[in-house]
Amino acid sequence: MVRSRSSENLVPAPELIRMIEGEHLATTTASIDRIKVLLDSASHIDTKNNPQLDTIHIRFMELEALYHNHLEKEFKLIFPVFKSKKLTKGLTKTQLAHQIQLLKKDHAEMKEILAHIRKISDGFQAHPGSSPTLKLSFAEFFRLEQELKTHFFLEEEALFPELIKILNKF
């Protein structure tokens, strides 16, 4: 069982991994894929009405790359240790602790990028005269922001503390 630091509710470890690795990552990745298509289309239509659109597009590409890099670290290093309750071959306790810190840094960077996009888009609001495609892009940004908040919470409040307990056993 995994006990969340911020809650007395218990989340069984297999359920936590299923939530993060399964449903949650699939919906978050799907949101990122939808935003990519929508923003690519909107950039050809809406730049005149939305002067910040180029910056939003660039920041989104940064977020997308960071997110996929983050997932790679989780699937290669974090999830195997969490599932097996032991260090994987070639991974030291110090390296795993460092990876946890890097993942937390990724979270902070993703939060900063989303906050910047939120700020320059007036809270994910399209300017008057914007295309429906851009309006839908911003709706997807709102959804992505909520999904990433859930992702950060699950990892920072449940997964990482449990990994630290595993590390302390070595």
Side-chain angles (χ1 to χ4, degrees):
M1 299 290 245
V2 177
R3 184 179 299 274
S4 170
R5 291 185 316 205
S6 64
S7 169
E8 290 303 311
N9 296 332
L10 295 175
V11 178
E15 176 66 13
L16 178 64
I17 286 295
R18 188 188 64 72
M19 288 169 62
I20 295 171
E21 194 178 41
E23 323 163 343
H24 178 68
L25 291 182
T27 58
T28 304
T29 300
S31 277
I32 286 175
D33 292 345
R34 282 189 300 271
I35 291 170
K36 183 176 184 174
V37 169
L38 291 166
L39 268 184
D40 285 345
S41 177
S43 344
H44 299 294
I45 304 167
D46 286 293
T47 306
K48 185 170 69 172
N49 290 333
N50 297 276
Q52 298 293 345
L53 192 53
D54 287 338
T55 303
I56 291 168
H57 200 229
I58 290 166
R59 294 305 318 255
F60 170 73
M61 290 187 303
E62 293 171 8
L63 177 68
E64 179 187 28
L66 182 59
Y67 174 76
H68 288 296
N69 185 14
H70 181 83
L71 290 186
E72 187 176 327
K73 288 183 240 179
E74 289 177 340
F75 279 96
K76 285 185 177 178
L77 301 169
I78 302 300
F79 294 158
V81 171
F82 191 78
K83 288 176 182 177
S84 69
K85 304 287 189 226
K86 60 184 179 182
L87 290 174
T88 53
K89 187 176 180 180
L91 184 66
T92 68
K93 180 179 174 179
T94 303
Q95 289 169 326
L96 184 59
H98 179 68
Q99 288 302 315
I100 292 170
Q101 292 309 310
L102 290 176
L103 291 170
K104 287 180 180 179
K105 184 178 179 233
D106 288 349
H107 291 175
E109 288 178 36
M110 285 187 263
K111 288 174 188 175
E112 183 278 321
I113 291 169
L114 277 170
H116 184 230
I117 292 171
R118 177 178 271 287
K119 180 180 177 182
I120 65 175
S121 68
D122 297 324
F124 305 132
Q125 297 296 315
H127 292 249
S130 295
S131 71
T133 303
L134 185 60
K135 291 174 184 176
L136 186 55
S137 297
F138 286 152
E140 284 293 334
F141 266 115
F142 180 79
R143 180 189 317 207
L144 176 63
E145 182 181 55
Q146 301 312 306
E147 290 168 355
L148 286 174
K149 283 180 180 179
T150 300
H151 178 90
F152 303 151
F153 175 81
L154 289 172
E155 289 188 355
E156 293 175 10
E157 300 298 325
L159 181 65
F160 295 161
E162 183 65 15
L163 282 169
I164 290 167
K165 287 180 194 173
I166 293 169
L167 283 174
N168 289 334
K169 292 179 183 177
F170 296 108

